[in-house]
């Protein structure tokens, strides 16, 4: 690979090509060799991939900052814009879909080609029609639903899983299409998109978002992404329901995620309570939910290990047998230990319920249950 040429193309802040490319990993997928950046480095997004043979770059999806205080956060973030577009933030996982030399592939956030998501993207979206007209673009989408190999949030209107396209970008440079243009283009191809709540002046946005978020919270949804009309400025704001749900998930595997999750969620909750909860009753309810979402899942985890169970993340996937086999192999190749809880056929599909085993949480809890001391 001509590192110097790709270095210039990636427009990195590193001093030299070697400083950037030492962080890329060599990988193989769909019979092609490629290089992937598994963490953001030197101004290049996490998950950026380079296919030297096809001479293709697929930029990672940028990290979206968060606002915790709407009243001042929104106007200052969108100072240079006269409108803010508010869209639903869906709770699934990020996938970029691009065509590499005739092959449509779906990339996860870390720059892996996921065989399962690739297959589903080809089934659920008319990707060939899109890439025939827009070969150098990528679709940025969320795979949502209870049956995915990475997330499990269940949407009442999603049966199994579905894809929602929330962005269209230039594959090589990452430049986004403006929001309106993207929404129109996706409609042309009948690509489902996240709900759009409205377009507001920046000073009117905090109140509008507070209302939207209150309704989303009641429906158990994640939150919103606010976007400048040109889609270059993006910021997120999430519901209490989501904060509590993500804590409950983290504390069901306490020694994997607990420590990393807890402080950031408490910060979000404290600012949201101070800004949006009027009544003392609302704050107390929030405090109770927050405490319960930390303590109860962890107590369940301790009891489960005491009963001899192994902890982990449970997922269900469904699809053509060869795709499911490729997915399980892909997950194992990433170093995950899978325990297969059920493996059956339904209408020609293979349906597998499996657990990504967490040795860290299981072993630590086992150690304490066996009388080990806590050194801190
Ligand atoms: P970061 O964005 O900081 O890298 P993260 O991966 O934890 O962190 P999230 O908190 O999940 O990110 O928020 C950003 C993600 O939200 C996007 O990468 C995208 O997958 C997802 N998302 C869901 N709905 C939308 C939407 N309407 N517009 C943009 N992104 C959306």
């Amino acid at each position: 690979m001509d590192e110097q040429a790709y270095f210039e193309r990636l427009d990195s802040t590193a001093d030299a090509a070697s400083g950037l490319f030492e962080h890329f990993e060599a990988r193989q997928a769909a019979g092609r060799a490629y290089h992937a950046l598994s963490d953001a480095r030197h101004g290049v997004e996490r998950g950026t991939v380079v296919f030297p043979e096809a001479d293709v770059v697929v930029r990672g999806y940028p990290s979206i900052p968060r606002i915790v205080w709407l009243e001042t956060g929104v106007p200052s973030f969108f100072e240079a814009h006269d409108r803010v577009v508010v869209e639903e933030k869906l709770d699934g996982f990020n996938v970029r879909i691009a065509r590499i030399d005739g092959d449509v592939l779906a990339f996860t956030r870390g720059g892996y080609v996921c065989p399962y998501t690739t297959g589903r993207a080809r089934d659920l979206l008319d990707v060939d029609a899109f890439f025939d007209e827009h070969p150098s673009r990528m679709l940025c989408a969320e795979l949502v639903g209870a049956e995915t190999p990475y997330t499990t949030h269940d949407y009442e209107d999603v049966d199994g899983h579905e894809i929602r396209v929330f962005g269209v970008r230039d594959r090589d440079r990452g430049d986004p299409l403006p929001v309106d243009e993207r929404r129109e283009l996706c409609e042309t191809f009948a690509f489902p998109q996240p709900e759009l709540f409205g377009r507001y002046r920046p000073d009117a946005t905090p109140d509008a978002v507070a209302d939207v978020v209150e309704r989303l919270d009641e429906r158990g949804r994640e939150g919103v992404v606010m976007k400048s009309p040109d889609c270059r400025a993006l910021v997120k704001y999430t519901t209490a329901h989501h904060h509590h749900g993500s804590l409950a998930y983290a504390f069901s595997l306490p020694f994997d995620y607990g420590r990393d999750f807890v402080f950031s969620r408490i910060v979000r909750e404290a600012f949201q309570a101070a800004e949006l909860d009027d009544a003392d009753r609302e704050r107390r309810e929030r405090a109770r939910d927050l405490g319960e979402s930390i303590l109860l899942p962890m107590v369940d985890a301790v009891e489960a290990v005491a009963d001899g169970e192994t902890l982990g993340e449970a997922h269900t996937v469904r699809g053509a047998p060869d795709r499911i086999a490729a997915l399980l192999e892909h997950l194992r190749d990433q170093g995950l230990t899978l325990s297969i809880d059920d493996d059956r056929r339904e209408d020609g599909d293979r349906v597998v319920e499996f657990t990504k085993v967490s040795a860290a949480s299981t072993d630590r809890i086992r150690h304490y249950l066996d009388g080990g001391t806590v050194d801190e």
Side-chain angles (χ1 to χ4, degrees), residues 160-289:
H161 60 242
E162 285 178 13
I163 291 181
R164 304 268 191 269
V165 179
F166 56 73
V168 176
R169 290 178 176 249
D170 179 78
R171 188 178 65 179
D172 215 281
R173 302 199 46 79
D175 294 334
L177 278 190
V179 179
D180 286 345
E181 208 176 310
R182 181 261 298 172
R183 293 200 69 97
E184 244 171 69
L185 186 64
C186 287
E187 271 171 33
T188 318
F189 289 93
F191 293 163
Q193 305 182 64
E195 184 174 348
L196 186 144
F197 295 111
R199 299 173 180 78
Y200 310 93
R201 285 198 325 270
D203 61 348
T205 305
D207 283 348
V209 167
D211 282 348
V212 167
V213 162
E214 190 180 340
R215 281 184 279 129
L216 288 174
D217 191 42
E218 282 163 10
R219 292 167 57 210
R221 313 285 282 225
E222 177 169 354
V224 297
V225 180
M226 293 166 257
K227 305 182 173 184
S228 59
D230 63 7
C231 207
R232 289 182 182 274
L234 308 175
V235 73
K236 63 196 174 197
Y237 187 81
T238 45
T239 62
H241 183 277
H242 179 66
H243 305 154
H244 300 159
S246 65
L247 280 171
Y249 159 73
F251 279 88
S252 68
L253 297 170
F255 297 103
D256 289 82
Y257 305 117
R259 210 182 281 267
D260 289 344
F261 272 55
V262 72
F263 187 67
S264 58
R265 269 63 178 183
I266 291 176
V267 168
R268 294 173 204 169
E269 282 287 275
F271 279 88
Q272 192 167 78
E275 186 171 18
L276 301 183
D277 291 356
D278 301 324
D280 184 52
R281 185 186 48 76
E282 281 177 82
R283 291 184 182 183
R284 290 192 174 278
E285 199 176 311
R286 186 191 287 272
R288 200 193 59 233
D289 287 351

Side-chain angles (χ1 to χ4, degrees), residues 46 61-64 66 87-90 93-94 109 141-142 166 194 222 225 227 236:
R46 171 178 175 220
Y61 191 76
S63 177
I64 302 183
R66 171 185 300 280
E87 250 187 15
E88 180 166 8
K89 181 178 193 308
L90 295 164
F93 72 95
N94 179 298
R109 205 77 201 276
E142 199 82 348
F166 56 73
E222 177 169 354
V225 180
K227 305 182 173 184
K236 63 196 174 197

